[in-house]
């Protein structure tokens, strides 16, 4: 998803809309600094000692309380493990849940970093293609039957029902219910990556698999990377206590920084987390609209998309004449960084796409980014075979 | 090594001398808070973004410069990976270096947490017993020959030549040279855990395996957990660039917190690290002497030890009449927490021991801890079989 910055035609700095990151100008720097300062003053010594493999209990308490306030299944601090972002949590989970030769099912497209993590755990990763409504239970059922016939053991379904990254698809309650049933019947653990759960730009988010599966055979991955700041490297896994204990037992790095965890706890307990997220939603909505308006002007020459109703990214399905790798390169030459869609797929995708993110850059930059992308279109067109 | 605190006879709080941790009253809380505050003010936004799997380059630069100033083999920022303490680094290294069915050689006794990490990586762990001078190259050669005859593939030697934890043994230059030769000839990677390298209480520390092996087939584990604070969760691996790249490639959690790394960099660059360590050496020396003086009074009824010349711990080889597990329990009942020596061994040890640490508790607490330990001796004596 990253890429070194080559020289481009414009005289200005390249604009990056390739990374799924919070608004760079509105990170809660001062609030987090104040929380940290408070922690240093009042509990500096404890915060600088070993914090344990499971992580600071105060933050796990806050998270559990927060889950209890909106989920129908109970959540306790003992069910939560603090991790190095959702990526660290996914890695921990996979190592604990995979049996030798086991299969992980995943939507495709899905977050490329997660596909990399799943593969690194030694899993056979099987992708199920999704449309604008996200994972279709019928596709899940069909692919699962195929795998069972091939005598494969499916351990995990990795799913992002709340604003898929990159497509922003939101899976309906009906589909979730059916997916939960299928997984429960097949003994598959549902790993719900919920990085964007708090970042809906409009619709209410349906019940999570935690509630739908009543906290059994399910794990939720959370993170402060999208809502607060990725540099905190602070996420968590919510799972049944037995699995949480197993994750703690397997953890060898003595856990996340108690200093960081305590500072974020102070920020959360003071109401800072909720008010920051509330403040950011209209900001992201506006930025999304600015980017969409700028792209609309040349949509027929670019591709197709659905309006993202949450998360940070817009998925552009390119017109057949455009090649995603070529477009990424041409865009870079024009001074805008976009993400080639290919790494978001397990298998060769049926159509080509790019991911652009409206979250990090400023409104002015987003408009200029679209202009530069338009200038890159000509160079990204596929030549006829005889012209290559 | 930890243990829940049961009720004890004294009315006061239990004193913990079981954990290898820096002085709890002299953590550089204010200096680190100031460095953090500086980072928030001047580079808050960068510090809160993703920092990359390898970790903040500024700190890797400082560490590489520091190594170059005292090692004869070159070290560059590209050779360093920031990790979640030395424990995180050891786990990363083992996963990268172990072949299926591979063997890791280690001294015994050695840090129990590391033995846990090695076992978790799926290695067959083979312990080589050491005396007060640390690993004997002849023992290494003999055990290695045995393993070769058994057609085992030895991948790694895990060694703590600078103040073994728990025994504080310091391995001589001559022994290191011979160990380096043996490992080079056998294609074994030397993993030197150097958590205590900067915490000599007297002797000069001989050249590391990094210098002796000229940076090839060797990795050094470093950490700020003992010199600054464990709560930072900040350590590193120094290795040849090819291995460092492999570690980065395998890393799935997007690296350590750039915020923490930048704050520690600011602290190091301002000279704060060196002056803090310089300030702490006489503090630890005095605390060691206080504990030794207090134990000396009942040494014949307790056991034997060598004076630790570095690190945080004193290894007490118990008299044959004492049982280490029983002593740990009796001590806890008297209000002092000590570490049972058994988990520091791979195999059943030839003699029983406990680890006590002079680093964390205050001088008053250390004297009182010894008094309580003395009171626990009677209850910890082995009964004759017919009396059980």
């Amino acid at each position: 998803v990253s890429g070194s910055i080559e020289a481009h035609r414009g005289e200005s700095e390249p604009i990056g809309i390739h990374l799924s990151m919070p608004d760079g100008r509105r990170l809660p720097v001062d609030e987090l600094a104040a929380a940290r300062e408070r922690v240093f003053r009042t509990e500096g010594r404890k915060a600088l000692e070993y914090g344990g493999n499971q992580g600071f209990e105060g933050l796990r308490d806050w998270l559990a309380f927060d889950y209890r306030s909106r989920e129908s299944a109970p959540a306790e601090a003992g069910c939560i493990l603090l991790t190095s972002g959702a990526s660290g949590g996914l890695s921990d989970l996979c190592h604990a849940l995979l049996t030798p030769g086991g299969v992980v099912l995943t939507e495709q497209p899905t977050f490329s970093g997660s596909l990399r993590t799943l593969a690194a755990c030694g899993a056979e990763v099987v992708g199920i293609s999704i449309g604008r409504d996200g994972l279709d239970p019928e596709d899940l059922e069909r692919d699962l039957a195929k795998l069972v016939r091939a005598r494969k053991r499916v351990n995990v379904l990795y799913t992002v029902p709340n604003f898929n990254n990159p497509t922003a698809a939101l899976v309906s309650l009906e589909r979730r219910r059916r997916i939960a049933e299928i997984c429960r019947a097949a003994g598959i653990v549902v790993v719900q990556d919920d990085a964007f759960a708090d970042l809906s730009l409009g619709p209410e988010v349906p019940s999570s698999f935690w509630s739908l599966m009543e906290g059994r055979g399910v794990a939720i991955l959370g993170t402060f990377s999208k809502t607060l700041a990725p540099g905190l490297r602070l996420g968590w896994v919510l799972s049944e206590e037995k699995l949480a204990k197993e994750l703690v037992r397997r953890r060898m790095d003595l856990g996340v920084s108690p200093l960081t965890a305590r500072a974020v706890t102070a920020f959360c307990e003071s109401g800072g987390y909720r008010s920051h997220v509330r403040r950011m939603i209209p900001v992201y909505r506006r930025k999304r609209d600015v980017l969409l308006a700028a792209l609309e002007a040349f949509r027929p020459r670019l591709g197709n998309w659905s309006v993202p109703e949450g998360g940070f990214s817009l998925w552009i399905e390119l017109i057949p004449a455009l090649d995603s790798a070529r477009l990424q390169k041409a865009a870079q030459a024009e001074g805008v960084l976009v993400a080639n869609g290919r790494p978001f797929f397990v298998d060769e995708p049926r159509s080509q796409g790019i991911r652009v993110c409206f979250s990090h850059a400023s409104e002015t930059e987003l408009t200029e980014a679209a202009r530069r992308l338009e200038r890159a279109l000509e160079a990204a067109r596929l030549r006829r075979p005889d012209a290559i």
Side-chain angles (χ1 to χ4, degrees), chain A residues 30 33 63 69 84 89 92 102 124-125 138 180 203 219-220 222 277 303 305 333 362 369 374 384:
Chain A
D30 294 340
L63 289 167
S69 72
S84 175
D92 290 354
E124 181 183 343
V125 184
E138 303 213 350
I220 306 285
V277 170
W305 54 80
S362 70
E374 185 180 7
R384 293 212 192 88

Side-chain angles (χ1 to χ4, degrees), chain A residues 193-221:
Chain A
D193 186 337
D194 233 7
F196 296 104
D198 284 350
L199 291 163
S200 170
L201 303 181
E204 203 177 323
V205 162
S207 290
S208 77
F209 286 102
W210 180 255
S211 291
L212 294 173
M213 302 188 78
E214 291 161 334
R216 280 190 298 278
V218 58
I220 306 285
L221 291 169

Side-chain angles (χ1 to χ4, degrees), chain A residues 249-285:
Chain A
R249 200 185 62 75
R250 286 168 166 265
R251 182 140 193 166
M252 295 297 149
D253 67 355
L254 302 176
V256 303
S257 165
L259 178 61
T260 302
R262 281 171 190 258
V264 171
T265 308
F267 184 63
C268 289
E269 284 176 345
S270 72
Y273 173 78
R274 284 286 158 219
S275 64
H276 178 72
V277 170
R278 232 182 351 256
R279 229 171 19 239
M280 292 309 295
I281 299 294
V283 171
Y284 289 130
R285 207 181 282 131

Side-chain angles (χ1 to χ4, degrees), chain A residues 36-323:
Chain A
R36 224 163 251 270
E37 157 65 20
R38 214 148 65 228
V39 163
F40 263 119
R41 216 174 40 237
T42 59
E43 40 183 340
R45 202 190 293 178
K46 290 301 295 173
L48 284 169
E49 293 183 354
Y50 288 106
N53 274 325
Q54 191 160 6
F56 177 55
E57 194 173 6
L59 183 54
R60 294 188 287 111
D61 275 332
W62 186 85
L63 289 167
F65 179 83
D66 192 55
Y67 276 113
R68 285 198 301 273
S69 72
R70 54 200 162 89
E71 301 281 353
S72 60
E76 302 296 335
C79 306
I80 294 175
L81 170 79
L82 302 187
T83 58
S84 175
S87 51
L90 180 59
S91 182
D92 290 354
L93 268 175
C94 284
H95 282 113
L97 294 172
L98 277 171
T99 55
V103 172
V104 174
L105 288 171
T106 173
E107 294 138 356
Q108 63 175 357
T110 195
F111 176 45
S112 52
S114 294
L115 290 182
R116 189 173 155 260
T117 303
L118 296 176
C121 294
E124 181 183 343
V125 184
V126 173
I128 308 177
S129 296
I130 59 167
R132 67 178 56 192
D133 297 323
L135 182 60
D136 186 332
E138 303 213 350
D139 293 339
L140 171 62
E141 217 163 10
R142 191 199 53 228
D143 285 13
L144 196 54
K146 260 191 246 168
L147 288 162
V148 168
R149 278 198 301 276
R151 302 189 166 280
K152 302 272 190 183
R153 173 83 191 94
V154 180
N155 297 124
V156 168
L157 168 68
Y158 170 74
T159 181
V160 190
N162 292 327
F163 315 113
N164 167 291
N165 173 4
T167 75
L170 179 67
V171 178
S172 70
L173 181 61
E174 291 65 31
R175 285 194 169 192
R176 291 178 196 219
R177 284 214 174 100
R178 188 70 196 106
I179 293 166
E181 277 167 26
I182 295 168
C183 288
R184 187 186 291 123
I188 297 170
V189 177
V190 177
V191 174
Q192 172 171 347
D193 186 337
D194 233 7
F196 296 104
D198 284 350
L199 291 163
S200 170
L201 303 181
E204 203 177 323
V205 162
S207 290
S208 77
F209 286 102
W210 180 255
S211 291
L212 294 173
M213 302 188 78
E214 291 161 334
R216 280 190 298 278
V218 58
I220 306 285
L221 291 169
T223 181
F224 290 112
S225 292
K226 312 298 183 187
T227 48
L228 294 185
L232 297 168
R233 305 307 314 123
L234 192 55
W236 62 91
V237 178
L238 167 70
S239 70
E240 53 196 313
E241 200 159 346
K242 199 178 131 198
L243 178 53
K245 278 208 168 74
E246 172 65 14
L247 294 174
V248 173
R249 200 185 62 75
R250 286 168 166 265
R251 182 140 193 166
M252 295 297 149
D253 67 355
L254 302 176
V256 303
S257 165
L259 178 61
T260 302
R262 281 171 190 258
V264 171
T265 308
F267 184 63
C268 289
E269 284 176 345
S270 72
Y273 173 78
R274 284 286 158 219
S275 64
H276 178 72
V277 170
R278 232 182 351 256
R279 229 171 19 239
M280 292 309 295
I281 299 294
V283 171
Y284 289 130
R285 207 181 282 131
R286 220 181 116 89
K287 286 163 67 135
R288 173 197 64 185
D289 294 342
V290 164
L291 180 63
L292 286 174
L295 293 174
E296 195 59 43
F298 57 102
R299 182 167 181 152
R301 284 177 292 138
L302 178 61
N304 247 307
W305 54 80
S306 305
V307 174
E309 298 201 282
F312 284 174
S313 61
L314 172 72
W315 177 246
I316 302 177
E317 220 170 75
L318 300 176
I319 58 169
L322 286 173
D323 175 80

